[in-house]
Amino acid sequence: MGWTGWLKAFIPQHISNTQLLKVLDICAHFKITEKKVRANHRENAEVFAKAFSSGRGFYTRGKYIENQPQWKQVKFGRYTMDYSGCEIIAACNAILSLGERMTEQEIMDFISIYEKKGAVLFGGWGVAPGAIFHFFEERGYEPAMTCSTDPGEINRMGEAYHTVIITVYNDGKDITKQIHTMNVSKDGRNRFVLHNSYRRDRDGSYTMGIPYTSLYEAIKGLHGGSAVPICIIGINPGSESLLASPG
């Protein structure tokens, strides 16, 4: 392996998952201003309204979000949702898989919540997984998190929780291929289905992934088996769980 290959592989292979999450938490301390949060909320409201009035909506209420590349005009921090909104989309999809629906207004509010708490490097690196965990915890759900790469532990998380949010290296040997966060729901046959994995149908439209028999199998089905898990957040509904309003 040359120097270029060594540098690409350094973070995935020499920085532990726990250490990486700590770095992301630290980088989330660079705050997006309240002025920017309010401005983004206003602009996002206009984007949603225009999309639906024209009949070219990129979001359908009650359906999983699979089409992140089509969220180019929706603001998140100093960036846009198509670039760094995968964690927010994963959290929205997780809420949907827990049996709740999110309106367009609630999604806009959701973005504002994470702009205020959890956005990494002003949103350029998405949302810290720790902030996602605490969001669900603070709102009455029952989450758990593991940074294990052990297949047995990952599968136990998949079986024990109603829905999960996974963060993975797209390529465990090349950090330049970036990190992606997705929701994995269960279908009626208790199989695991990836959402927002950029899978496309023959007509070019984005669609949910094929079902897998285990959570670890679903992860290894990404990118020809080159994906490596960073953390798994399992979420069960709590007795008092509810969606939050921005505050």
Side-chain angles (χ1 to χ4, degrees), residues 12 19 23 55 67 80 126 151 181 214 218 220 225 241 244:
Q19 290 171 327
V23 170
N67 60 339
T80 51
T181 299
S214 73
K220 297 311 293 182
S241 57

Side-chain angles (χ1 to χ4, degrees), residues 17-247:
N17 289 343
T18 301
Q19 290 171 327
L20 177 63
L21 262 60
K22 288 180 180 178
V23 170
L24 295 176
D25 285 338
I26 291 170
C27 292
H29 287 292
F30 297 93
K31 298 298 183 183
I32 298 168
T33 66
E34 288 285 341
K35 181 179 179 180
K36 181 63 173 173
V37 173
R38 290 194 297 269
N40 283 354
H41 196 279
R42 287 194 300 270
E43 290 186 41
N44 288 342
E46 294 175 2
V47 168
F48 271 94
K50 183 177 180 180
F52 281 91
S53 65
S54 66
R56 296 193 297 269
F58 49 85
Y59 172 68
T60 301
R61 192 182 299 181
K63 291 188 177 182
Y64 290 104
I65 302 170
E66 309 287 357
N67 60 339
Q68 183 180 345
Q70 295 176 347
W71 289 58
K72 295 179 182 293
Q73 294 182 295
V74 182
K75 299 292 183 65
F76 168 51
R78 296 182 181 178
Y79 301 84
T80 51
M81 286 285 288
D82 67 304
Y83 178 73
S84 57
C86 62
E87 288 84 10
I88 294 175
I89 288 173
C92 289
N93 283 339
I95 287 173
L96 184 66
S97 70
L98 287 162
E100 303 188 45
R101 288 193 175 189
M102 296 191 73
T103 65
E104 298 75 43
Q105 179 68 47
E106 286 168 334
I107 289 180
M108 291 185 288
D109 294 345
F110 212 47
I111 293 170
S112 296
I113 289 169
Y114 280 120
E115 286 178 324
K116 294 176 182 180
K117 186 176 181 181
V120 180
L121 296 180
F122 307 107
W125 285 12
V127 176
I132 297 173
F133 174 90
H134 290 302
F135 171 88
F136 283 96
E137 183 179 51
E138 291 169 359
R139 284 151 185 84
Y141 297 91
E142 297 178 357
M145 180 189 291
T146 181
C147 292
S148 176
T149 58
D150 175 66
E153 174 62 19
I154 290 171
N155 285 337
R156 281 191 289 273
M157 289 286 289
E159 294 296 335
Y161 289 88
H162 186 88
T163 193
V164 298
I165 293 174
I166 63 171
T167 299
V168 303
Y169 291 109
N170 288 324
D171 188 327
K173 296 181 180 179
D174 188 352
I175 186 59
T176 65
K177 293 184 179 178
Q178 302 183 328
I179 291 169
H180 192 38
T181 299
M182 291 157 280
N183 170 241
V184 186
S185 69
K186 297 178 185 178
D187 68 9
R189 298 172 61 182
N190 209 36
R191 298 176 301 180
F192 296 83
V193 181
L194 290 156
H195 298 288
N196 196 35
S197 62
Y198 298 165
R199 182 174 181 266
R200 305 190 78 165
D201 283 336
R202 292 180 180 179
D203 64 0
S205 61
Y206 293 92
T207 186
M208 66 180 63
I210 61 174
Y212 292 91
T213 58
S214 73
L215 180 57
Y216 188 77
E217 184 186 43
I219 293 171
K220 297 311 293 182
L222 291 163
H223 308 296
S226 60
V228 173
I230 296 171
C231 74
I232 313 292
I233 300 174
I235 309 163
N236 278 335
S239 57
E240 299 179 357
S241 57
L242 59 123
L243 288 177
S245 59

